[in-house]
Amino acid sequence: MEKGERLYEGKAKIIYSTDDPDLVVLYFKDEATAFDGKKKGIIESKGVVNNRMSSRIFEYLEERGVRTHFVKMLSEREMLVRRLEIIPVEVIVRNVVAGSLAKRMGVEEGTPLKETVLELYYKSDPLGDPMINEYHIKAFGLAEEDELRVMKETALRVNDLLKPFFDERGIILVDFKLEFGRHRGDILLGDEITPDGCRLWDRETKEKMDKDRFRRDLGRVEEAYRDVLEKVLS
Ligand code: TMP
Ligand code: ASP
């Protein structure tokens, strides 16, 4: 497998072509952004942590029947994945009130939810990823009805698998964001599953072990990422 030209550079990853049109290489950077890119910084070794953690979690999910873009880890910062046509809908799953949900509902962070909450956002940097609903997705043709059904079912299944996975490692899975894409007629889970796109709290101390440490200037960002990786690999 030969790594080819750079196809796309995002905020946290670079995508390279390969000699197989069905496969691309993801390169994980240390760059971190928040608040629609208004806040920028470097989280030392984040790329290595996120590549390793995502690889482990995608493997775990694949072993349990979730179809993902993951093929294999290639190096410390590179992952081989199936090439996706990304669906511009971000799916967020929440188990505990935090972040924008706390603000929107005027409820304190950490409040448990009676039921899992699933939210849909339009993936658009210039618009700042606005929240949308299923009507918008259908009316604007962002995804077909059966594609959306697969995305929602898969997101809830991923939550059912990852809640106990993290709980066994002393971590509360507060919320997370997923992205999906089309590949040869299938809908596959794409992107990454890392402290960049998940809220992860220490079960005992409730300490934040995710990108909120960067967003909110809480300090010890690198340590938190390393600590999460160690627990995920244990
Ligand atoms: P929120 O509370 O800010 O809406 O975030 C919910 C979850 O989604 C949280 O785990 C962080 C993740 N997330 C992203 O991965 N990318 C984003 O652009 C935003 C806003 C949130
Ligand atoms: N990464 C996103 C941005 O740059 C948001 C976030 O994760 O907070 O806006």
Side-chain angles (χ1 to χ4, degrees):
M1 204 280 310
E2 285 286 314
K3 188 167 133 192
E5 58 167 335
R6 201 178 72 159
L7 297 174
Y8 176 80
E9 177 154 4
K11 286 181 284 191
K13 296 186 287 297
I14 307 173
I15 305 176
Y16 294 92
S17 67
T18 70
D19 49 16
D20 182 337
D22 274 341
L23 300 175
V24 292
V25 173
L26 296 187
Y27 177 93
F28 287 75
K29 305 191 285 185
D30 287 348
E31 273 96 336
T33 64
F35 313 118
D36 302 324
K38 286 192 218 45
K39 183 182 172 106
K40 288 195 173 76
I42 297 282
I43 302 175
E44 207 69 52
S45 297
K46 173 170 86 81
V48 177
V49 170
N50 284 1
N51 184 29
R52 288 206 186 130
M53 173 163 165
S54 273
S55 294
R56 173 71 190 106
I57 290 183
F58 282 137
E59 257 167 27
Y60 183 85
L61 294 174
E62 285 274 354
E63 282 162 11
R64 284 153 187 82
V66 177
R67 307 201 46 207
T68 79
H69 67 160
F70 181 73
V71 178
K72 64 177 175 181
M73 211 173 100
L74 293 173
S75 70
E76 278 216 312
R77 287 177 183 270
E78 290 171 317
M79 185 193 287
L80 186 66
V81 298
R82 292 177 190 89
R83 186 178 198 145
L84 299 181
E85 181 197 335
I86 287 288
I87 295 170
V89 174
E90 300 188 350
V91 183
I92 289 187
V93 179
R94 302 181 184 267
N95 297 304
V96 178
V97 175
S100 68
L101 182 61
K103 280 213 185 85
R104 187 176 317 111
M105 298 300 289
V107 173
E108 206 186 326
E109 279 207 320
T111 308
L113 289 161
K114 288 204 178 102
E115 263 192 60
T116 306
V117 169
L118 186 146
E119 295 172 349
L120 302 164
Y121 291 82
Y122 178 36
K123 182 175 160 67
S124 162
D125 279 340
L127 299 178
D129 300 345
M131 189 192 253
I132 53 174
N133 65 32
E134 303 197 17
Y135 287 90
H136 300 106
I137 292 175
K138 277 183 232 164
F140 288 91
L142 303 180
E144 299 297 328
E145 199 162 345
D146 56 339
E147 292 178 329
L148 184 58
R149 184 178 40 76
V150 172
M151 289 162 66
K152 284 167 35 187
E153 282 171 7
T154 305
L156 295 174
R157 168 97 176 117
V158 166
N159 189 44
D160 287 342
L161 290 167
L162 291 188
K163 254 196 308 184
F165 175 91
F166 281 109
D167 185 60
E168 282 161 19
R169 290 160 176 81
I171 296 173
I172 302 170
L173 178 60
V174 172
D175 56 35
F176 58 94
K177 186 253 304 179
L178 298 179
E179 293 184 24
F180 295 85
R182 306 180 181 101
H183 178 88
R184 293 186 164 270
D186 289 321
I187 299 295
L188 305 183
L189 176 60
D191 196 41
E192 59 179 76
I193 298 183
T194 67
D196 274 15
C198 301
R199 284 200 175 88
L200 304 165
W201 294 356
D202 183 287
R203 199 177 50 212
E204 305 310 322
T205 65
K206 303 290 188 290
E207 211 184 3
K208 299 185 196 321
M209 304 174 72
D210 54 61
K211 198 169 146 190
D212 272 347
R213 301 202 71 83
F214 168 78
R215 294 188 189 100
R216 305 179 188 186
D217 297 317
L218 300 177
R220 301 198 0 263
V221 186
E222 282 84 1
E223 288 86 336
Y225 274 67
R226 271 202 298 272
D227 200 10
V228 167
L229 176 65
E230 196 181 308
K231 290 190 158 100
V232 163
L233 296 182
S234 70

